[in-house]
Each structure stands twice: as C-alpha cells, then as structure tokens.
Amino acid sequence: MGAVAVEADGTVVLSVYVQPGATRAGIVGLHGDALKLRVTAPPEDGRANKAVVALLAEACGLAPSAVELVRGATSRRKQFRLSGLTEEELTRRVPAVSGD
C-alpha cells in the first residue's frame, strides 16, 4: 500500500509510524510503508496523538480539524485521513512521503 492511500472519494489516508517522547518533534522520513514522525509528547491520555495531528496539520498546511485519526489510537502505527488535500499536494508539501 505505501504510506499514502486514496479512498474512492479522493480522500487521502496517510500511514504513519510514531515515536512518542522524542527529544525533538519532526518528520523523519519513511519507516517501511509508513511516514515516521517524532513527537515530544508522551503516549499518555492521547497527548501523542494530539501532537501528531498538530504536526501533520502544520506540515500539510491544513487546519487540525482536517486531520482525523482513523486507525491505531493506541499503537505506534496509525492512519490519518487528510481532508481537503490531494495525493499530489501531500507529496509536494511533505516530500518525505515519496522517500525524497
């Protein structure tokens, strides 16, 4: 599948691998078939998930409300639906998605 999947209605779903409790937050690159993200928030009470939403929203130029966790709430492997963004726009805004 790769890090990016496109649903039938054109909505982009991004697979990510999260490293919570990191020293610095950021997009690392690809980790297998997922985009690896580091967040400083601990994996407690959904804090890391909220930090991932904020990081993805900022990187993609979206409002946080346009980034929805759809799978993996308690796992390091997660999937997020990115509303209002095409696969091409995602690749342009977050080059690491394509391995660049």
Side-chain angles (χ1 to χ4, degrees):
M1 169 174 112
V4 180
V6 180
E7 296 180 334
D9 65 357
T11 304
V12 174
V13 176
L14 180 63
S15 295
V16 300
Y17 179 85
V18 179
Q19 178 186 342
T23 304
R24 289 186 296 179
I27 298 172
V28 177
L30 291 179
H31 180 84
D33 63 349
L35 183 65
K36 184 174 180 180
L37 306 176
R38 290 183 181 143
V39 293
T40 58
E44 300 165 350
D45 302 321
R47 290 167 45 192
N49 288 338
K50 290 177 186 172
V52 170
V53 167
L55 179 62
L56 286 174
E58 182 180 343
C60 296
L62 297 171
S65 61
V67 180
E68 176 190 4
L69 176 63
V70 292
R71 183 172 290 128
T74 60
S75 172
R76 286 181 178 236
R77 292 196 172 273
K78 303 174 184 298
Q79 289 185 339
F80 289 88
R81 182 175 293 121
L82 307 175
S83 300
L85 191 68
T86 66
E87 183 177 6
E88 293 78 24
E89 290 171 327
L90 174 63
T91 303
R92 190 173 53 246
R93 294 176 187 183
V94 186
V97 168
S98 62
D100 294 345

